[in-house]
Amino acid sequence: RKEVEQDPGPFNVPEGATVAFNCTYSNSASQSFFWYRQDCRKEPKLLMSVYSSGNEDGRFTAQLNRASQYISLLIRDSKLSDSATYLCAVKVFGNEKLTFGTGTRLTIIP
Amino acid sequence: ETGVTQTPRHLVMGMTNKKSLKCEQHLGHNAMYWYKQSAKKPLELMFVYNFKEQTENNSVPSRFSPECPNSSHLFLHLHTLQPEDSALYLCASSHQIGASYNEQFFGPGTRLTVL
């Protein structure tokens, strides 16, 4: 089983819709969780960290479910500019290594 | 954005060449990282430096040789690479090792092609 798994998509979603992705992780010692977005041929950019209580930043909401070992990202009122690949990353306690998923490709359709 | 810069942005080299990638961070961070991103694969951590000291080598072949002269600069020296080493090489930095939420910020990457 992969350490971090994501549905590669693509997700083709009409503008204004709500879309959600999940990311599962296999190591129960995982402590820190992140969502990055990566545009084509660009570097990953930190979108948000994911805290135990869940957190929201504008149209973006991140949740952590430790029991089922997954994190989620919800995007409301999607914009054309949200089109990108969304990467989840997981860090295990005591280890500086960030383990990334392969990413979920999202395209927002006008 | 100029928080983390990398040069060159593109590099084409032969298998017998020697080249170096450079990374500089302007964020006042203490930790720096090298990652490799190949097509259809997740980012792979290569090396971690904390306060100039290497703290992790993720089983990287010796044809990749990192150097960290200070907390702001990181190099990756390349020699006798193979075509399968062609990838996007990304540098990242973070505030400090050991914090539970030690967010990493990436540079724009060097797209390397080995002929």
Side-chain angles (χ1 to χ4, degrees), chain A residues 1-7 21-27 30 33 35 65 68-72 88-90 99-101:
Chain A
R1 183 183 172 186
K2 290 181 184 175
E3 288 184 73
V4 179
E5 289 200 72
Q6 295 183 254
D7 181 343
F21 319 127
N22 282 346
C23 167
T24 59
Y25 59 94
S26 60
N27 192 334
S30 299
F33 309 89
W35 283 105
N65 185 318
S68 301
Q69 295 188 191
Y70 73 87
I71 61 172
S72 63
C88 69
V90 174
T99 301
F100 283 84

Side-chain angles (χ1 to χ4, degrees), chain B residues 2 5-6 18 33 37 43-44 50 57-58 87 93 97 114:
Chain B
T2 58
T5 58
Q6 289 187 244
K18 286 185 181 181
Y33 311 76
Q37 188 175 36
L43 275 86
E44 302 170 55
N50 189 38
N57 175 337
N58 201 30
S93 71
I97 300 285
V114 182

Side-chain angles (χ1 to χ4, degrees), chain B residues 26-99:
Chain B
H26 310 271
L27 299 170
H29 288 166
N30 298 312
M32 297 187 78
Y33 311 76
W34 279 117
Y35 285 86
K36 175 184 178 182
Q37 188 175 36
S38 305
K40 308 288 186 190
K41 288 186 175 181
L43 275 86
E44 302 170 55
L45 179 67
M46 300 175 73
F47 302 103
V48 180
Y49 277 83
N50 189 38
F51 289 97
K52 305 189 301 178
E53 300 298 320
Q54 188 181 121
T55 58
E56 187 147 352
N57 175 337
N58 201 30
S59 303
V60 180
S62 59
R63 58 185 183 270
F64 295 91
S65 174
E67 178 190 359
C68 188
N70 55 59
S71 293
S72 299
H73 294 85
L74 185 64
F75 296 88
L76 188 63
H77 305 298
L78 316 171
H79 63 97
T80 58
L81 295 192
Q82 305 298 312
E84 59 265 29
D85 295 323
S86 298
L88 180 67
Y89 288 85
L90 290 157
C91 172
S93 71
S94 68
H95 183 58
Q96 65 180 56
I97 300 285

Side-chain angles (χ1 to χ4, degrees), chain A residues 2 4 31-34 36 38 40-46 48-52 64 66 87 91 93 95-103, chain B residues 1 9-10 33 35 37 40-45 48 55-56 58 88 90 94 96-109 111:
Chain A
K2 290 181 184 175
V4 179
Q31 179 192 41
S32 310
F33 309 89
F34 308 89
Y36 284 80
Q38 186 172 26
C40 188
R41 304 186 74 80
K42 296 283 185 73
E43 75 273 24
K45 294 193 172 168
L46 181 65
M48 54 200 306
S49 304
V50 186
Y51 302 115
S52 296
L64 166 62
R66 286 194 186 274
L87 306 171
K91 190 163 81 77
F93 176 75
N95 189 326
E96 291 311 312
K97 178 181 175 181
L98 259 188
T99 301
F100 283 84
T102 50
Chain B
E1 293 182 17
R9 296 293 304 277
H10 301 272
Y33 311 76
Y35 285 86
Q37 188 175 36
K40 308 288 186 190
K41 288 186 175 181
L43 275 86
E44 302 170 55
L45 179 67
V48 180
T55 58
E56 187 147 352
N58 201 30
L88 180 67
L90 290 157
S94 68
Q96 65 180 56
I97 300 285
S100 59
Y101 274 89
N102 188 26
E103 287 93 347
Q104 295 180 22
F105 296 89
F106 286 84
R111 190 159 296 279

Side-chain angles (χ1 to χ4, degrees), chain B residues 7-26:
Chain B
T7 55
R9 296 293 304 277
H10 301 272
L11 178 61
V12 179
M13 59 187 288
M15 289 191 285
T16 57
N17 292 159
K18 286 185 181 181
K19 297 286 184 184
S20 295
L21 310 185
K22 179 183 175 182
C23 174
E24 184 173 359
Q25 59 93 4
H26 310 271

